[in-house]
Amino acid sequence: NFGLNAPTARLAAQIHQESMWKADAASPYAQGLAQFTPPTARWLPTICPSVGAPDPWDPQWSIRAVACYDAWLYANAPPANECNRWAFTLSDYNGGQGFRRREQQLARAAGDDSSTWFDHVESFNARSIGAWRENRSYVRRILLLLEPAYIAAGWGGTGACP
């Protein structure tokens, strides 16, 4: 599990969102089941050598890599309750920690709660409008729609968000 304490349903929901479980999925920027960009795929073994040589087209590598990367992002996410911490983690996976940090700064500057994702940090935008919309939809769809659906289908676990 690469140090990731998350139910199978959460990872399944994330992979579903990334590629619809298509190992040959490709976008202009990312590849494979977990939709890693080539630079991220090359970098991942530096933080988690046990994932092996980068190969985003290999479903087994992709599953190991998404678990490793999520564990690393979760460890570096702002401390919060489980729901908000996973929202920060998934936002980082989708759009990068730098944008999330800038959006937290915008929330703080506006006197809003920068430690709470839903209805707070998610309302602030430091990216292009298209990237912002995609990022917000990504987090909400995984945590509020897909993860509960996978749990209901018997994939196991408890949802991060009530």
Side-chain angles (χ1 to χ4, degrees), residues 102-146:
R102 286 192 286 281
E103 289 159 353
Q104 282 185 284
Q105 290 171 344
L106 290 170
R108 271 191 297 280
D112 207 337
D113 183 356
S114 65
S115 67
T116 302
W117 177 262
F118 290 103
D119 299 322
H120 296 279
V121 174
E122 77 169 341
S123 301
F124 293 87
N125 182 15
R127 13 181 145 213
S128 75
I129 193 67
W132 180 79
R133 285 185 181 132
E134 177 189 332
N135 187 264
R136 285 4 185 219
S137 172
Y138 182 87
V139 171
R140 285 186 166 273
R141 189 164 193 290
I142 291 170
L143 292 177
L144 305 179
L145 179 69
L146 295 173

mmCIF file of all heavy atoms in Angstrom, residues 102-146:
data_model
loop_
_atom_site.group_PDB
_atom_site.id
_atom_site.type_symbol
_atom_site.label_atom_id
_atom_site.label_comp_id
_atom_site.label_asym_id
_atom_site.label_seq_id
_atom_site.Cartn_x
_atom_site.Cartn_y
_atom_site.Cartn_z
ATOM 1 N N ARG A 102 -1.282 28.533 -3.452
ATOM 2 C CA ARG A 102 -1.666 29.907 -3.802
ATOM 3 C C ARG A 102 -3.141 30.156 -3.484
ATOM 4 O O ARG A 102 -3.511 31.240 -3.027
ATOM 5 C CB ARG A 102 -1.359 30.186 -5.273
ATOM 6 C CG ARG A 102 0.137 30.369 -5.519
ATOM 7 C CD ARG A 102 0.462 30.928 -6.888
ATOM 8 N NE ARG A 102 0.319 29.994 -7.987
ATOM 9 C CZ ARG A 102 1.198 29.067 -8.323
ATOM 10 N NH1 ARG A 102 2.304 28.903 -7.636
ATOM 11 N NH2 ARG A 102 0.985 28.279 -9.359
ATOM 12 N N GLU A 103 -3.983 29.158 -3.720
ATOM 13 C CA GLU A 103 -5.408 29.309 -3.416
ATOM 14 C C GLU A 103 -5.653 29.374 -1.909
ATOM 15 O O GLU A 103 -6.522 30.120 -1.455
ATOM 16 C CB GLU A 103 -6.197 28.185 -4.098
ATOM 17 C CG GLU A 103 -6.218 28.414 -5.602
ATOM 18 C CD GLU A 103 -6.505 27.207 -6.459
ATOM 19 O OE1 GLU A 103 -6.575 26.070 -5.940
ATOM 20 O OE2 GLU A 103 -6.658 27.403 -7.682
ATOM 21 N N GLN A 104 -4.864 28.657 -1.133
ATOM 22 C CA GLN A 104 -4.953 28.794 0.325
ATOM 23 C C GLN A 104 -4.540 30.204 0.751
ATOM 24 O O GLN A 104 -5.164 30.798 1.636
ATOM 25 C CB GLN A 104 -4.049 27.775 1.023
ATOM 26 C CG GLN A 104 -4.626 26.387 1.075
ATOM 27 C CD GLN A 104 -3.738 25.476 1.873
ATOM 28 O OE1 GLN A 104 -2.697 25.050 1.387
ATOM 29 N NE2 GLN A 104 -4.154 25.187 3.102
ATOM 30 N N GLN A 105 -3.506 30.738 0.114
ATOM 31 C CA GLN A 105 -3.078 32.108 0.422
ATOM 32 C C GLN A 105 -4.171 33.110 0.080
ATOM 33 O O GLN A 105 -4.407 34.052 0.836
ATOM 34 C CB GLN A 105 -1.783 32.456 -0.329
ATOM 35 C CG GLN A 105 -0.564 31.724 0.178
ATOM 36 C CD GLN A 105 0.652 31.911 -0.725
ATOM 37 O OE1 GLN A 105 0.550 32.340 -1.877
ATOM 38 N NE2 GLN A 105 1.821 31.575 -0.197
ATOM 39 N N LEU A 106 -4.839 32.905 -1.042
ATOM 40 C CA LEU A 106 -5.948 33.789 -1.407
ATOM 41 C C LEU A 106 -7.066 33.711 -0.368
ATOM 42 O O LEU A 106 -7.653 34.736 0.005
ATOM 43 C CB LEU A 106 -6.497 33.428 -2.795
ATOM 44 C CG LEU A 106 -5.595 33.731 -3.986
ATOM 45 C CD1 LEU A 106 -6.159 33.108 -5.266
ATOM 46 C CD2 LEU A 106 -5.404 35.227 -4.144
ATOM 47 N N ALA A 107 -7.358 32.504 0.101
ATOM 48 C CA ALA A 107 -8.390 32.335 1.132
ATOM 49 C C ALA A 107 -7.994 33.070 2.409
ATOM 50 O O ALA A 107 -8.803 33.808 2.989
ATOM 51 C CB ALA A 107 -8.624 30.853 1.413
ATOM 52 N N ARG A 108 -6.744 32.894 2.830
ATOM 53 C CA ARG A 108 -6.259 33.596 4.038
ATOM 54 C C ARG A 108 -6.356 35.105 3.875
ATOM 55 O O ARG A 108 -6.806 35.811 4.767
ATOM 56 C CB ARG A 108 -4.805 33.200 4.344
ATOM 57 C CG ARG A 108 -4.663 31.995 5.228
ATOM 58 C CD ARG A 108 -3.239 31.806 5.728
ATOM 59 N NE ARG A 108 -2.260 31.567 4.686
ATOM 60 C CZ ARG A 108 -2.051 30.393 4.096
ATOM 61 N NH1 ARG A 108 -2.750 29.338 4.442
ATOM 62 N NH2 ARG A 108 -1.130 30.275 3.166
ATOM 63 N N ALA A 109 -5.934 35.590 2.718
ATOM 64 C CA ALA A 109 -5.950 37.037 2.459
ATOM 65 C C ALA A 109 -7.373 37.591 2.489
ATOM 66 O O ALA A 109 -7.583 38.755 2.852
ATOM 67 C CB ALA A 109 -5.287 37.350 1.116
ATOM 68 N N ALA A 110 -8.336 36.753 2.127
ATOM 69 C CA ALA A 110 -9.740 37.179 2.139
ATOM 70 C C ALA A 110 -10.390 36.965 3.506
ATOM 71 O O ALA A 110 -11.574 37.237 3.674
ATOM 72 C CB ALA A 110 -10.521 36.419 1.069
ATOM 73 N N GLY A 111 -9.610 36.466 4.470
ATOM 74 C CA GLY A 111 -10.149 36.205 5.798
ATOM 75 C C GLY A 111 -10.963 34.928 5.875
ATOM 76 O O GLY A 111 -11.743 34.736 6.810
ATOM 77 N N ASP A 112 -10.786 34.051 4.898
ATOM 78 C CA ASP A 112 -11.529 32.786 4.869
ATOM 79 C C ASP A 112 -10.688 31.679 5.504
ATOM 80 O O ASP A 112 -9.497 31.853 5.771
ATOM 81 C CB ASP A 112 -11.885 32.425 3.423
ATOM 82 C CG ASP A 112 -13.132 31.559 3.310
ATOM 83 O OD1 ASP A 112 -13.489 30.887 4.293
ATOM 84 O OD2 ASP A 112 -13.725 31.540 2.216
ATOM 85 N N ASP A 113 -11.303 30.548 5.714
ATOM 86 C CA ASP A 113 -10.660 29.391 6.347
ATOM 87 C C ASP A 113 -9.785 28.671 5.322
ATOM 88 O O ASP A 113 -10.292 27.994 4.435
ATOM 89 C CB ASP A 113 -11.735 28.455 6.907
ATOM 90 C CG ASP A 113 -11.170 27.265 7.630
ATOM 91 O OD1 ASP A 113 -9.930 27.080 7.655
ATOM 92 O OD2 ASP A 113 -11.971 26.488 8.175
ATOM 93 N N SER A 114 -8.480 28.787 5.452
ATOM 94 C CA SER A 114 -7.563 28.179 4.487
ATOM 95 C C SER A 114 -7.247 26.726 4.814
ATOM 96 O O SER A 114 -6.496 26.079 4.090
ATOM 97 C CB SER A 114 -6.262 28.982 4.410
ATOM 98 O OG SER A 114 -5.575 28.903 5.647
ATOM 99 N N SER A 115 -7.824 26.195 5.886
ATOM 100 C CA SER A 115 -7.583 24.795 6.242
ATOM 101 C C SER A 115 -8.762 23.903 5.874
ATOM 102 O O SER A 115 -8.737 22.701 6.134
ATOM 103 C CB SER A 115 -7.294 24.672 7.739
ATOM 104 O OG SER A 115 -8.456 25.002 8.483
ATOM 105 N N THR A 116 -9.787 24.483 5.263
ATOM 106 C CA THR A 116 -10.980 23.728 4.882
ATOM 107 C C THR A 116 -11.185 23.862 3.384
ATOM 108 O O THR A 116 -11.276 24.975 2.859
ATOM 109 C CB THR A 116 -12.219 24.256 5.637
ATOM 110 O OG1 THR A 116 -11.965 24.161 7.041
ATOM 111 C CG2 THR A 116 -13.456 23.462 5.294
ATOM 112 N N TRP A 117 -11.242 22.731 2.702
ATOM 113 C CA TRP A 117 -11.392 22.743 1.256
ATOM 114 C C TRP A 117 -12.800 23.126 0.828
ATOM 115 O O TRP A 117 -13.008 24.132 0.156
ATOM 116 C CB TRP A 117 -11.035 21.364 0.678
ATOM 117 C CG TRP A 117 -11.247 21.296 -0.804
ATOM 118 C CD1 TRP A 117 -12.321 20.796 -1.459
ATOM 119 C CD2 TRP A 117 -10.374 21.800 -1.810
ATOM 120 N NE1 TRP A 117 -12.175 20.937 -2.814
ATOM 121 C CE2 TRP A 117 -10.980 21.550 -3.050
ATOM 122 C CE3 TRP A 117 -9.143 22.431 -1.787
ATOM 123 C CZ2 TRP A 117 -10.402 21.906 -4.257
ATOM 124 C CZ3 TRP A 117 -8.559 22.787 -2.983
ATOM 125 C CH2 TRP A 117 -9.183 22.526 -4.202
ATOM 126 N N PHE A 118 -13.771 22.291 1.220
ATOM 127 C CA PHE A 118 -15.131 22.465 0.724
ATOM 128 C C PHE A 118 -15.731 23.765 1.234
ATOM 129 O O PHE A 118 -15.684 24.069 2.417
ATOM 130 C CB PHE A 118 -16.010 21.265 1.115
ATOM 131 C CG PHE A 118 -15.629 20.020 0.365
ATOM 132 C CD1 PHE A 118 -14.887 19.027 0.973
ATOM 133 C CD2 PHE A 118 -15.993 19.864 -0.967
ATOM 134 C CE1 PHE A 118 -14.527 17.882 0.278
ATOM 135 C CE2 PHE A 118 -15.635 18.724 -1.675
ATOM 136 C CZ PHE A 118 -14.900 17.734 -1.051
ATOM 137 N N ASP A 119 -16.265 24.547 0.302
ATOM 138 C CA ASP A 119 -16.909 25.835 0.571
ATOM 139 C C ASP A 119 -15.942 26.910 1.052
ATOM 140 O O ASP A 119 -16.383 27.987 1.456
ATOM 141 C CB ASP A 119 -18.060 25.685 1.581
ATOM 142 C CG ASP A 119 -19.143 24.750 1.060
ATOM 143 O OD1 ASP A 119 -19.429 24.800 -0.151
ATOM 144 O OD2 ASP A 119 -19.678 23.962 1.863
ATOM 145 N N HIS A 120 -14.648 26.642 1.030
ATOM 146 C CA HIS A 120 -13.669 27.648 1.442
ATOM 147 C C HIS A 120 -12.568 27.735 0.387
ATOM 148 O O HIS A 120 -12.734 28.457 -0.584
ATOM 149 C CB HIS A 120 -13.134 27.348 2.848
ATOM 150 C CG HIS A 120 -14.213 27.445 3.887
ATOM 151 N ND1 HIS A 120 -14.630 28.638 4.411
ATOM 152 C CD2 HIS A 120 -14.997 26.486 4.447
ATOM 153 C CE1 HIS A 120 -15.623 28.433 5.263
ATOM 154 N NE2 HIS A 120 -15.865 27.124 5.305
ATOM 155 N N VAL A 121 -11.468 26.990 0.537
ATOM 156 C CA VAL A 121 -10.358 27.093 -0.409
ATOM 157 C C VAL A 121 -10.821 26.791 -1.833
ATOM 158 O O VAL A 121 -10.385 27.443 -2.782
ATOM 159 C CB VAL A 121 -9.183 26.172 0.001
ATOM 160 C CG1 VAL A 121 -8.095 26.165 -1.057
ATOM 161 C CG2 VAL A 121 -8.614 26.617 1.349
ATOM 162 N N GLU A 122 -11.745 25.848 -1.998
ATOM 163 C CA GLU A 122 -12.197 25.500 -3.354
ATOM 164 C C GLU A 122 -12.843 26.683 -4.073
ATOM 165 O O GLU A 122 -12.958 26.685 -5.289
ATOM 166 C CB GLU A 122 -13.144 24.303 -3.335
ATOM 167 C CG GLU A 122 -14.540 24.615 -2.887
ATOM 168 C CD GLU A 122 -15.534 23.487 -3.109
ATOM 169 O OE1 GLU A 122 -15.282 22.568 -3.909
ATOM 170 O OE2 GLU A 122 -16.599 23.542 -2.480
ATOM 171 N N SER A 123 -13.251 27.697 -3.334
ATOM 172 C CA SER A 123 -13.895 28.873 -3.940
ATOM 173 C C SER A 123 -12.897 29.848 -4.550
ATOM 174 O O SER A 123 -13.289 30.742 -5.293
ATOM 175 C CB SER A 123 -14.715 29.610 -2.877
ATOM 176 O OG SER A 123 -15.682 28.752 -2.334
ATOM 177 N N PHE A 124 -11.625 29.684 -4.238
ATOM 178 C CA PHE A 124 -10.592 30.621 -4.703
ATOM 179 C C PHE A 124 -9.855 30.032 -5.898
ATOM 180 O O PHE A 124 -9.668 28.826 -5.993
ATOM 181 C CB PHE A 124 -9.639 30.944 -3.554
ATOM 182 C CG PHE A 124 -10.316 31.720 -2.461
ATOM 183 C CD1 PHE A 124 -10.984 31.058 -1.444
ATOM 184 C CD2 PHE A 124 -10.318 33.098 -2.480
ATOM 185 C CE1 PHE A 124 -11.645 31.761 -0.451
ATOM 186 C CE2 PHE A 124 -10.971 33.822 -1.493
ATOM 187 C CZ PHE A 124 -11.641 33.149 -0.476
ATOM 188 N N ASN A 125 -9.428 30.903 -6.806
ATOM 189 C CA ASN A 125 -8.822 30.452 -8.050
ATOM 190 C C ASN A 125 -7.512 31.172 -8.341
ATOM 191 O O ASN A 125 -7.483 32.394 -8.444
ATOM 192 C CB ASN A 125 -9.784 30.677 -9.220
ATOM 193 C CG ASN A 125 -9.213 30.182 -10.522
ATOM 194 O OD1 ASN A 125 -8.242 29.429 -10.542
ATOM 195 N ND2 ASN A 125 -9.806 30.588 -11.617
ATOM 196 N N ALA A 126 -6.445 30.366 -8.510
ATOM 197 C CA ALA A 126 -5.142 30.898 -8.912
ATOM 198 C C ALA A 126 -4.696 30.302 -10.243
ATOM 199 O O ALA A 126 -3.535 30.383 -10.597
ATOM 200 C CB ALA A 126 -4.112 30.596 -7.822
ATOM 201 N N ARG A 127 -5.590 29.679 -10.992
ATOM 202 C CA ARG A 127 -5.260 29.002 -12.250
ATOM 203 C C ARG A 127 -6.163 29.515 -13.372
ATOM 204 O O ARG A 127 -7.028 30.329 -13.123
ATOM 205 C CB ARG A 127 -5.400 27.486 -12.146
ATOM 206 C CG ARG A 127 -6.102 26.994 -10.949
ATOM 207 C CD ARG A 127 -6.276 25.516 -10.744
ATOM 208 N NE ARG A 127 -6.199 25.240 -9.326
ATOM 209 C CZ ARG A 127 -5.717 24.170 -8.785
ATOM 210 N NH1 ARG A 127 -5.311 23.192 -9.533
ATOM 211 N NH2 ARG A 127 -5.651 24.016 -7.494
ATOM 212 N N SER A 128 -6.003 28.980 -14.548
ATOM 213 C CA SER A 128 -6.932 29.341 -15.620
ATOM 214 C C SER A 128 -8.322 28.858 -15.225
ATOM 215 O O SER A 128 -8.466 27.899 -14.465
ATOM 216 C CB SER A 128 -6.509 28.709 -16.948
ATOM 217 O OG SER A 128 -6.803 27.320 -16.949
ATOM 218 N N ILE A 129 -9.343 29.483 -15.748
ATOM 219 C CA ILE A 129 -10.706 29.124 -15.375
ATOM 220 C C ILE A 129 -11.006 27.665 -15.751
ATOM 221 O O ILE A 129 -11.664 26.940 -14.993
ATOM 222 C CB ILE A 129 -11.754 30.107 -15.965
ATOM 223 C CG1 ILE A 129 -13.115 29.900 -15.298
ATOM 224 C CG2 ILE A 129 -11.844 29.989 -17.460
ATOM 225 C CD1 ILE A 129 -13.181 30.263 -13.852
ATOM 226 N N GLY A 130 -10.506 27.204 -16.893
ATOM 227 C CA GLY A 130 -10.730 25.819 -17.295
ATOM 228 C C GLY A 130 -10.059 24.833 -16.346
ATOM 229 O O GLY A 130 -10.661 23.836 -15.952
ATOM 230 N N ALA A 131 -8.809 25.113 -15.985
ATOM 231 C CA ALA A 131 -8.091 24.237 -15.047
ATOM 232 C C ALA A 131 -8.752 24.274 -13.673
ATOM 233 O O ALA A 131 -8.838 23.253 -12.988
ATOM 234 C CB ALA A 131 -6.628 24.653 -14.948
ATOM 235 N N TRP A 132 -9.237 25.427 -13.262
ATOM 236 C CA TRP A 132 -9.916 25.561 -11.970
ATOM 237 C C TRP A 132 -11.190 24.719 -11.947
ATOM 238 O O TRP A 132 -11.433 23.967 -11.005
ATOM 239 C CB TRP A 132 -10.218 27.038 -11.695
ATOM 240 C CG TRP A 132 -10.902 27.298 -10.403
ATOM 241 C CD1 TRP A 132 -10.332 27.343 -9.166
ATOM 242 C CD2 TRP A 132 -12.290 27.574 -10.210
ATOM 243 N NE1 TRP A 132 -11.279 27.618 -8.205
ATOM 244 C CE2 TRP A 132 -12.500 27.768 -8.831
ATOM 245 C CE3 TRP A 132 -13.382 27.663 -11.067
ATOM 246 C CZ2 TRP A 132 -13.745 28.057 -8.298
ATOM 247 C CZ3 TRP A 132 -14.626 27.951 -10.531
ATOM 248 C CH2 TRP A 132 -14.794 28.146 -9.157
ATOM 249 N N ARG A 133 -11.997 24.843 -12.993
ATOM 250 C CA ARG A 133 -13.242 24.055 -13.061
ATOM 251 C C ARG A 133 -12.956 22.559 -13.065
ATOM 252 O O ARG A 133 -13.630 21.775 -12.391
ATOM 253 C CB ARG A 133 -14.048 24.437 -14.301
ATOM 254 C CG ARG A 133 -14.743 25.749 -14.175
ATOM 255 C CD ARG A 133 -15.632 26.014 -15.379
ATOM 256 N NE ARG A 133 -16.276 27.297 -15.241
ATOM 257 C CZ ARG A 133 -16.329 28.210 -16.186
ATOM 258 N NH1 ARG A 133 -15.805 27.977 -17.375
ATOM 259 N NH2 ARG A 133 -16.935 29.362 -15.971
ATOM 260 N N GLU A 134 -11.965 22.155 -13.849
ATOM 261 C CA GLU A 134 -11.604 20.731 -13.895
ATOM 262 C C GLU A 134 -11.158 20.251 -12.518
ATOM 263 O O GLU A 134 -11.565 19.186 -12.058
ATOM 264 C CB GLU A 134 -10.485 20.488 -14.908
ATOM 265 C CG GLU A 134 -10.029 19.036 -14.921
ATOM 266 C CD GLU A 134 -8.782 18.800 -15.750
ATOM 267 O OE1 GLU A 134 -8.528 19.546 -16.716
ATOM 268 O OE2 GLU A 134 -8.052 17.852 -15.410
ATOM 269 N N ASN A 135 -10.325 21.037 -11.849
ATOM 270 C CA ASN A 135 -9.817 20.642 -10.539
ATOM 271 C C ASN A 135 -10.937 20.503 -9.520
ATOM 272 O O ASN A 135 -10.973 19.540 -8.743
ATOM 273 C CB ASN A 135 -8.756 21.652 -10.074
ATOM 274 C CG ASN A 135 -8.074 21.218 -8.816
ATOM 275 O OD1 ASN A 135 -8.468 21.635 -7.715
ATOM 276 N ND2 ASN A 135 -7.058 20.394 -8.948
ATOM 277 N N ARG A 136 -11.850 21.440 -9.504
ATOM 278 C CA ARG A 136 -12.946 21.375 -8.530
ATOM 279 C C ARG A 136 -13.875 20.203 -8.816
ATOM 280 O O ARG A 136 -14.310 19.503 -7.910
ATOM 281 C CB ARG A 136 -13.733 22.683 -8.503
ATOM 282 C CG ARG A 136 -13.059 23.859 -7.801
ATOM 283 C CD ARG A 136 -11.673 23.590 -7.312
ATOM 284 N NE ARG A 136 -11.152 24.715 -6.557
ATOM 285 C CZ ARG A 136 -9.910 25.135 -6.626
ATOM 286 N NH1 ARG A 136 -9.033 24.543 -7.419
ATOM 287 N NH2 ARG A 136 -9.498 26.134 -5.887
ATOM 288 N N SER A 137 -14.147 19.975 -10.077
ATOM 289 C CA SER A 137 -14.980 18.839 -10.459
ATOM 290 C C SER A 137 -14.284 17.523 -10.115
ATOM 291 O O SER A 137 -14.921 16.573 -9.650
ATOM 292 C CB SER A 137 -15.282 18.916 -11.960
ATOM 293 O OG SER A 137 -15.932 17.761 -12.397
ATOM 294 N N TYR A 138 -12.991 17.465 -10.338
ATOM 295 C CA TYR A 138 -12.191 16.270 -10.050
ATOM 296 C C TYR A 138 -12.335 15.868 -8.588
ATOM 297 O O TYR A 138 -12.665 14.723 -8.266
ATOM 298 C CB TYR A 138 -10.732 16.574 -10.384
ATOM 299 C CG TYR A 138 -9.757 15.445 -10.187
ATOM 300 C CD1 TYR A 138 -9.532 14.514 -11.194
ATOM 301 C CD2 TYR A 138 -9.026 15.308 -9.017
ATOM 302 C CE1 TYR A 138 -8.620 13.488 -11.044
ATOM 303 C CE2 TYR A 138 -8.113 14.289 -8.843
ATOM 304 C CZ TYR A 138 -7.917 13.379 -9.866
ATOM 305 O OH TYR A 138 -7.008 12.363 -9.693
ATOM 306 N N VAL A 139 -12.103 16.800 -7.690
ATOM 307 C CA VAL A 139 -12.176 16.517 -6.249
ATOM 308 C C VAL A 139 -13.585 16.094 -5.860
ATOM 309 O O VAL A 139 -13.785 15.063 -5.196
ATOM 310 C CB VAL A 139 -11.724 17.746 -5.433
ATOM 311 C CG1 VAL A 139 -11.991 17.553 -3.946
ATOM 312 C CG2 VAL A 139 -10.247 18.047 -5.692
ATOM 313 N N ARG A 140 -14.567 16.878 -6.243
ATOM 314 C CA ARG A 140 -15.954 16.588 -5.862
ATOM 315 C C ARG A 140 -16.428 15.254 -6.441
ATOM 316 O O ARG A 140 -17.113 14.483 -5.765
ATOM 317 C CB ARG A 140 -16.888 17.717 -6.299
ATOM 318 C CG ARG A 140 -16.756 18.943 -5.425
ATOM 319 C CD ARG A 140 -17.790 20.012 -5.779
ATOM 320 N NE ARG A 140 -17.840 20.992 -4.713
ATOM 321 C CZ ARG A 140 -18.612 20.877 -3.631
ATOM 322 N NH1 ARG A 140 -19.401 19.839 -3.501
ATOM 323 N NH2 ARG A 140 -18.580 21.800 -2.700
ATOM 324 N N ARG A 141 -16.106 14.989 -7.681
ATOM 325 C CA ARG A 141 -16.589 13.763 -8.323
ATOM 326 C C ARG A 141 -16.008 12.525 -7.644
ATOM 327 O O ARG A 141 -16.715 11.546 -7.404
ATOM 328 C CB ARG A 141 -16.231 13.790 -9.805
ATOM 329 C CG ARG A 141 -16.866 12.674 -10.579
ATOM 330 C CD ARG A 141 -16.793 13.001 -12.069
ATOM 331 N NE ARG A 141 -17.540 12.258 -12.867
ATOM 332 C CZ ARG A 141 -17.558 10.999 -13.312
ATOM 333 N NH1 ARG A 141 -17.019 10.458 -13.175
ATOM 334 N NH2 ARG A 141 -18.186 10.252 -14.004
ATOM 335 N N ILE A 142 -14.717 12.550 -7.317
ATOM 336 C CA ILE A 142 -14.100 11.390 -6.673
ATOM 337 C C ILE A 142 -14.661 11.187 -5.272
ATOM 338 O O ILE A 142 -15.100 10.087 -4.924
ATOM 339 C CB ILE A 142 -12.566 11.532 -6.635
ATOM 340 C CG1 ILE A 142 -11.995 11.417 -8.051
ATOM 341 C CG2 ILE A 142 -11.944 10.476 -5.708
ATOM 342 C CD1 ILE A 142 -10.530 11.788 -8.167
ATOM 343 N N LEU A 143 -14.645 12.237 -4.458
ATOM 344 C CA LEU A 143 -15.005 12.075 -3.048
ATOM 345 C C LEU A 143 -16.507 12.001 -2.794
ATOM 346 O O LEU A 143 -16.934 11.328 -1.851
ATOM 347 C CB LEU A 143 -14.405 13.200 -2.215
ATOM 348 C CG LEU A 143 -12.882 13.177 -2.090
ATOM 349 C CD1 LEU A 143 -12.393 14.388 -1.313
ATOM 350 C CD2 LEU A 143 -12.391 11.880 -1.454
ATOM 351 N N LEU A 144 -17.301 12.683 -3.594
ATOM 352 C CA LEU A 144 -18.731 12.769 -3.300
ATOM 353 C C LEU A 144 -19.611 11.906 -4.199
ATOM 354 O O LEU A 144 -20.767 11.647 -3.854
ATOM 355 C CB LEU A 144 -19.187 14.229 -3.371
ATOM 356 C CG LEU A 144 -18.415 15.204 -2.478
ATOM 357 C CD1 LEU A 144 -18.938 16.619 -2.654
ATOM 358 C CD2 LEU A 144 -18.441 14.770 -1.018
ATOM 359 N N LEU A 145 -19.093 11.461 -5.322
ATOM 360 C CA LEU A 145 -19.896 10.647 -6.243
ATOM 361 C C LEU A 145 -19.298 9.254 -6.455
ATOM 362 O O LEU A 145 -19.940 8.251 -6.159
ATOM 363 C CB LEU A 145 -20.036 11.372 -7.589
ATOM 364 C CG LEU A 145 -20.834 10.632 -8.653
ATOM 365 C CD1 LEU A 145 -22.309 10.578 -8.271
ATOM 366 C CD2 LEU A 145 -20.669 11.300 -10.006
ATOM 367 N N LEU A 146 -18.076 9.197 -6.948
ATOM 368 C CA LEU A 146 -17.496 7.908 -7.321
ATOM 369 C C LEU A 146 -17.117 7.046 -6.120
ATOM 370 O O LEU A 146 -17.412 5.841 -6.115
ATOM 371 C CB LEU A 146 -16.290 8.109 -8.244
ATOM 372 C CG LEU A 146 -16.602 8.714 -9.615
ATOM 373 C CD1 LEU A 146 -15.320 9.018 -10.373
ATOM 374 C CD2 LEU A 146 -17.504 7.796 -10.413
#
